[in-house]
Amino acid sequence: MKLNKVVLAYSGGLDTSVIIPWLKENFDCEVIAVVVDVGQEDDFEAIKEKAYKTGASKVYIEDAKEEFVNEYIFPTLKAGAIYEGKYLLGTSMARPLIAKKLVNIAKKENADAIAHGATGKGNDQVRFEVTIKALMPQIKIIAPWRIWNLKSREDELNYLAQKGIDIPFKKEESYSMDGNIWHLSHEGLDLEDPWNMPDFDKVLKITKNPLKLADSPETVEIEFEKGIPVKVNGQQMNGVELLKTLNKIGANHGIGIADIVENRLVGMKSRGVYETPGGTILYYAHRELEYLCLDRATLHFKDMVAIRFAELVYDGLWFSPLREALSAFVDKTQEVVNGTVKLVLYRGNIYSAGSKSPNSLYIKDLATFEEDQMYNQKDAEGFINLFGLPLKVFGMVNRKEDEEN
Amino acid sequence: MKLNKVVLAYSGGLDTSVIIPWLKENFDCEVIAVVVDVGQEDDFEAIKEKAYKTGASKVYIEDAKEEFVNEYIFPTLKAGAIYEGKYLLGTSMARPLIAKKLVNIAKKENADAIAHGATGKGNDQVRFEVTIKALMPQIKIIAPWRIWNLKSREDELNYLAQKGIDIPFKKEESYSMDGNIWHLSHEGLDLEDPWNMPDFDKVLKITKNPLKLADSPETVEIEFEKGIPVKVNGQQMNGVELLKTLNKIGANHGIGIADIVENRLVGMKSRGVYETPGGTILYYAHRELEYLCLDRATLHFKDMVAIRFAELVYDGLWFSPLREALSAFVDKTQEVVNGTVKLVLYRGNIYSAGSKSPNSLYIKDLATFEEDQMYNQKDAEGFINLFGLPLKVFGMVNRKEDEEN
Amino acid sequence: MKLNKVVLAYSGGLDTSVIIPWLKENFDCEVIAVVVDVGQEDDFEAIKEKAYKTGASKVYIEDAKEEFVNEYIFPTLKAGAIYEGKYLLGTSMARPLIAKKLVNIAKKENADAIAHGATGKGNDQVRFEVTIKALMPQIKIIAPWRIWNLKSREDELNYLAQKGIDIPFKKEESYSMDGNIWHLSHEGLDLEDPWNMPDFDKVLKITKNPLKLADSPETVEIEFEKGIPVKVNGQQMNGVELLKTLNKIGANHGIGIADIVENRLVGMKSRGVYETPGGTILYYAHRELEYLCLDRATLHFKDMVAIRFAELVYDGLWFSPLREALSAFVDKTQEVVNGTVKLVLYRGNIYSAGSKSPNSLYIKDLATFEEDQMYNQKDAEGFINLFGLPLKVFGMVNRKEDEEN
Amino acid sequence: MKLNKVVLAYSGGLDTSVIIPWLKENFDCEVIAVVVDVGQEDDFEAIKEKAYKTGASKVYIEDAKEEFVNEYIFPTLKAGAIYEGKYLLGTSMARPLIAKKLVNIAKKENADAIAHGATGKGNDQVRFEVTIKALMPQIKIIAPWRIWNLKSREDELNYLAQKGIDIPFKKEESYSMDGNIWHLSHEGLDLEDPWNMPDFDKVLKITKNPLKLADSPETVEIEFEKGIPVKVNGQQMNGVELLKTLNKIGANHGIGIADIVENRLVGMKSRGVYETPGGTILYYAHRELEYLCLDRATLHFKDMVAIRFAELVYDGLWFSPLREALSAFVDKTQEVVNGTVKLVLYRGNIYSAGSKSPNSLYIKDLATFEEDQMYNQKDAEGFINLFGLPLKVFGMVNRKEDEEN
């Protein structure tokens, strides 16, 4: 099959480096490499060079960090979305954004196809392709891992060698990783057996090993406006700065390691270890503030919405009508989520050290034992009588008199 | 008003000690004191004596520890129910059980009324009374705190003095506490301001201060059958022993402190600090096993059920048709929750150190990158095409061609 | 107790007519009668006169029909909210609006209190008072039915006679009714026994008896913009006109009778018969359009939201943060709910006669049996293999080989 | 590819009649035709003959009517599951049962593969295959429609002719139908345009055209035990008889026609018309009884469960852990759903004519306006004060004093 121009999601790693010549060989096409900077710790100039060296005709380096933080991470934070109770969705949120950038460049470049380096067993292929379908329904999508016969790192290195491309890639297998400003994930090798505990010294790349930390508690204060963090320790910051700051602080205290056997969308379970130092602090702090500012009915329903929201994000359905409508729900609830949360970080743990809000629904006098004007204890009797009436009637009708309870 | 016999939920504390003479004065009745042992650390002989001394005509000491653990705690654990994401429902689960014991004794003693010492501002009055209404719809309920004019500890002490009852109670106010085999709760004093961090040395009674722990990781292994913990470190135990064992272990590592501003059922927010060392370990371990044994659809729906289950338990609706039906759902899901979970406890934290199950749905070969018979990567294309079809159609119909994404 | 000025929700019926002199007698206050026109079929001039005659110092007639339709009815219609599967919330939606009008007048008039004529057993007292608390937390609320000793229509008539007020009210009991532009409700008398079928000739006031209709099908075409009905049979109308038009059409065909034993918020079940001719047509038509325009994920989640939305509206929680946030969700989903629905009305029934939309997600070629470009049948195999993988794994792990299925 | 023995879901229609020789040609195998009698109106002897004539080596006619009604239909009825608010899941429930029968015979016959005649665009392929995967994970599945090149009825007839098989099949296209004891579905032809109203005279096969009915109301009385219908008009019947009886009655009155544009699992919308006369009566009656017997909390949660239950059944996930756990929930709720419902059927409509239950939670005296012992109107004030407290606090904190409401 002959194509004209293919836009490729390029990372500079071995997989996507192999894809460039492979695309050219198989589709006789020009390959445009697109690197989306979502905060991964990479040398983008070196990556650019690598792309050209492997045959790309053009390379885009797109700085999407601010967009990532403001348009993807913060909406998810506000939703309180956590996949299966542990995973903070770092990779899941990044994929639709990357795909959107690919689409924009494909339109601009008038490309025939978009290619990506995700394997045929994971969630990322779904996240990439579903987003592309949503935003550019007609374009062809190429997923080399589902097509070619390369089955291992060795196969890939041989392929590059055959093509005469000389770039030094490590030979040994390592954990499969994906990183961005929000998180770093690890899969594979010994982690594949859930009976193995991760060797933190070996696995962790940004967070300090929480089992080997010195004795140094640290207090951090975060201020939110409408559910969005805007200040750390009294200092106004934009989203990117703020997250970087909290990443550094959190990493120092071994905060934010999640080790989970999760259900992939494609029908299997897999095991991952995630480092999300700043993100974990933000989720904790945001929740503390919601305890003050949201009423019971809203908080409880929102907790249910969070489950669905996380599912949608995990499944790559960011650009779906349901995710967008749930965000409208969430945003409305966040209008009153303003205030400050103080946390103590210590040896892998976060402790609440205080929270306050101009919108706090916690009224001290209501909860104390003294009589007051807002709350008359005598009201409780009527409340209980009506609240308990359905059970009373149910008991009268359906419980036998002589039944031993 | 004249009553014949009143059954009182008696704890031996100042409040219920005042209630005995107050009931006799106001209702000219015999008072039967019922102490339900749900694992609180108390000297039941001393309490019995105190009850008689304050005027009880009869005292029951009911050992309900096993029933509490097996019939209330474990069903809630299996449900994964956590109120508002933090509170493990220690007091909420105990109240219906205590109320049931009161009802049984009221029936046996042919009493006219049941009295309790819960205040008019809290959840416990609701939990007691709703349960009584459900199980013994016609009996009269007396809640002295909503009736009398005593407004402070001092008033209460004066009342006892007036009645010539000489029992030494502390004069100073302290945290309001409620304890049982599952947890110990703390409210009041400086905790009433959410901007205050709890002084762990002052507040914690069973858990070691996690900010001052020595360097001593400990591994614990828990085995579950149908979602119920049956062994610790290889040793078979009944529920009560098992929980006591884990409480001791957890407390040593500063595990299980929850500090929350929660929404009471009676319309206000309040702030509590909870110690639940063994319970926190059990929830963590149980969840780890569910990651292995439950499929995605079941796990996600069960997470939603857990929210409602927690709400019902918190609200005192244990003996409600909905709670019972949700438990039927939960029990069905737990048939495959068998296996062993290993945890490392260290300085207030729990780390997964491995889990395994004969019912594990995690199939190593499925998640790895090698081709295999169970999973054909080529299937992913078809999956994505159909899974993404609704978004593709939505995009074609509703997204403008020229729209900047 | 002495009050200065009380604002009363006045209807011109016997109950509120008795309340005026009763308030003056008991609170020595000026009474301002407020009649909110939400479309009930009443002679407002006669009501005004009656209010003065019974002692009101001032009478407001507030035309709130447009506000009712646009700000309360249409948002509920868009949500698809139906209480317990049958009740279209006619009274529930009107109460918060009426309460809001009372609050506005109370503020303007600088009143001390707001009074209403709802009984102590129903939902309306809750709806009125909760709204007043939300919008004007400090004002005193008076609910005479929970205070006075009048227990019957006869008592009320005697009270008026005592006061020398001579207004002709019917002596005999009738169904308790509540009407507005959306619906008319009926309770009481023979309806109190759920084993009785309503005598439609006796009960129905606006709808023709569907058991006695002539043979005359009628087609009606309704056009929606963003989920809001804007045209009937091609003719643009404002909400009030449109609803009146559909009420007339629906009533002619015996459409929209709901007979339900419902769960009141105050803990008891009650039985009501509702006439909602135009509303029933609108709900049906709106849903038909959603079948075309909403994707599966959105439709299914919205159906769950509709249950909670209905609960909130029924419970009088219109002015609650959760209802407002759910409306934000709903409004987002409705952006694509544009198009036309054709219905045949015939003898109490509604039949779909066609629907179309510029945002329709129904693509004829997709569903037909011919091969096409959008849908490749071969994709189905991959889809099924991955979609079915969790069950396959579950079956392999947990189903015994020899098990007889 | 060579196979030994293939078990085929055989219906006697053109599609599956073509599949027999096609399987033999392509896999050089023996074909065992399995006809599962789920109540479709067919001449099974004629079908058997046809199977042999087209080349089957063996034919099973399995009477699964009782199992279908008791183990599939009634559990779904008890759940109140309706797909997207209209579709009563007739085909969805039958497919897993048929697949289970195929699996049992495949095991008994030691077959290599199971084949079915569902197309590559519909839900049925998923339902068949997912069930087979769940119950017999290793067996090969053959779906000829996704493989062969026959694209039309004409192609199929030509293929038979080529093979020298002479069976008279109609040449013209007709609605695609699927029938069983619960329902009959129609798709295709003019129905593919949702702007077309179905021509009832042409489409309906069992139900009388409700637009052309004579004037003849009929009363029917149904008795339930634990949510299961056991008597019609006072006569005890087994499930099959009962359903046949109600089908006849309902069909006579034009009851149970559903016309819906539904979301298929495979990502597209499709339009179907369903006839479910008896089923529609049963759903209506069952719900009426639940209004009496279920408390508010249970009913509302169950309504949410019903949405998920319907989704699972529609998606073919009958043999999934979640469906089974939801059924455990449902069964628990149904313990109190006992009693009798009387309905009037008239010209396409169902009217409630009365319901009663020994477990009815409707207590007449509670809902009437007279004072009584169970309900004290004065309790309402306390109830409202506490129920409304969160909104009052929210209003005080978040609503501006001067805000125009």
Side-chain angles (χ1 to χ4, degrees), chain C residues 216-289:
Chain C
S216 53
E218 178 170 2
T219 299
V220 64
E221 212 175 288
I222 304 170
E223 193 176 328
F224 290 83
E225 280 173 17
K226 301 199 173 185
I228 290 172
V230 294
K231 286 190 192 168
V232 170
N233 293 328
Q235 206 167 341
Q236 189 94 23
M237 301 182 189
N238 68 33
V240 171
E241 286 174 295
L242 185 143
L243 191 46
K244 282 183 174 173
T245 303
L246 290 176
N247 276 337
K248 198 173 294 176
I249 294 173
N252 261 332
H253 295 280
I255 301 290
I257 303 161
D259 174 6
I260 180 173
V261 173
E262 77 199 37
N263 290 293
R264 284 192 187 157
L265 169 59
V266 289
M268 69 182 70
K269 287 184 183 287
S270 74
R271 200 264 192 97
V273 172
Y274 301 97
E275 303 179 62
T276 324
T280 300
I281 295 171
L282 282 175
Y283 264 75
Y284 194 101
H286 179 258
R287 178 74 177 184
E288 288 299 299
L289 199 53

Side-chain angles (χ1 to χ4, degrees), chain C residues 83-84 86 100 120 133 192 269 288 291 294 296 300 311 315 347 362 368 375 377 385 405, chain D residues 83-84 86 100 120 133 192 269 288 291 294 296 300 311 315 347 362 368 375 377 385 405:
Chain C
Y83 187 67
E84 299 191 342
K86 277 199 178 176
K100 184 182 135 185
K133 282 172 197 291
E192 279 171 16
K269 287 184 183 287
E288 288 299 299
Y291 283 130
L294 298 188
R296 177 173 147 121
H300 293 200
E311 220 169 52
D315 292 354
R347 290 173 159 169
Y362 176 91
T368 51
Y375 187 102
Q377 297 209 33
N385 283 341
N405 295 300
Chain D
Y83 187 67
E84 300 192 339
K86 275 199 180 176
K100 185 182 134 185
K133 282 172 195 291
E192 279 170 17
K269 287 184 184 285
E288 289 297 300
Y291 283 131
L294 297 188
R296 176 173 148 121
H300 293 199
E311 222 169 50
D315 292 355
R347 293 173 157 171
Y362 177 91
T368 51
Y375 187 100
Q377 298 209 30
N385 284 341
N405 294 300

Side-chain angles (χ1 to χ4, degrees), chain D residues 117-130:
Chain D
T119 77
K121 289 202 159 184
N123 299 303
D124 285 335
Q125 56 176 344
V126 188
R127 295 166 184 153
F128 278 132
E129 298 181 29
V130 160

Side-chain angles (χ1 to χ4, degrees), chain A residues 295 298 325 328-333 335-336, chain C residues 71-72 75 100 134-135 309 312-313 317-332, chain D residues 391 394 398-399 403 405:
Chain A
D295 62 294
T298 302
F329 167 85
V330 168
D331 285 351
K332 188 71 191 165
T333 66
E335 288 175 1
V336 295
Chain C
E71 305 296 325
Y72 296 74
K100 184 182 135 185
L135 302 181
F309 196 102
L312 291 168
V313 176
L317 301 171
W318 187 267
F319 290 101
S320 68
L322 181 53
R323 203 283 306 164
E324 288 168 7
L326 293 181
S327 276
F329 166 86
V330 167
D331 285 351
K332 188 72 190 161
Chain D
L391 286 204
F394 191 92
N398 292 312
R399 287 186 200 273
E403 185 184 346
N405 294 300

Side-chain angles (χ1 to χ4, degrees), chain C residues 123-139:
Chain C
N123 298 303
D124 286 335
Q125 56 177 342
V126 187
R127 295 166 185 154
F128 278 132
E129 297 181 29
V130 160
T131 304
I132 294 165
K133 282 172 197 291
L135 302 181
M136 201 177 178
Q138 268 78 20
I139 200 162

Side-chain angles (χ1 to χ4, degrees), chain A residues 161-214:
Chain A
Q162 270 173 36
K163 293 281 160 191
I165 297 168
D166 180 28
I167 301 179
F169 283 105
K170 287 182 306 172
K171 277 215 166 54
E172 66 278 17
E173 298 282 341
S174 57
Y175 294 116
S176 167
M177 293 195 291
D178 178 65
N180 56 47
I181 194 173
W182 183 249
H183 94 334
L184 181 65
S185 68
H186 311 269
E187 293 187 356
L189 304 185
D190 57 301
L191 298 179
E192 277 171 17
D193 183 348
W195 189 242
N196 290 335
M197 182 168 182
D199 177 342
F200 288 151
D201 284 331
K202 214 177 108 199
V203 175
L204 303 179
K205 296 290 174 232
I206 48 177
T207 319
K208 288 193 182 161
N209 182 342
L211 299 174
K212 298 180 175 175
L213 284 175

Side-chain angles (χ1 to χ4, degrees), chain A residues 347-400:
Chain A
R347 292 174 157 168
N349 252 328
I350 303 177
Y351 299 94
S352 313
S355 48
K356 61 182 178 184
S357 165
N359 305 90
S360 173
L361 304 176
Y362 177 89
I363 309 287
K364 196 189 157 193
D365 298 335
L366 276 177
T368 51
F369 294 88
E370 309 306 313
E371 210 61 48
D372 63 22
Q373 290 189 307
M374 283 286 289
Y375 187 99
N376 184 341
Q377 297 209 31
K378 300 206 182 338
D379 286 338
E381 186 181 344
F383 177 78
I384 296 169
N385 284 341
L386 268 54
F387 179 75
L389 188 54
L391 286 205
K392 186 172 177 175
V393 171
F394 191 90
M396 287 170 58
V397 171
N398 291 313
R399 288 186 199 272
K400 305 283 180 307

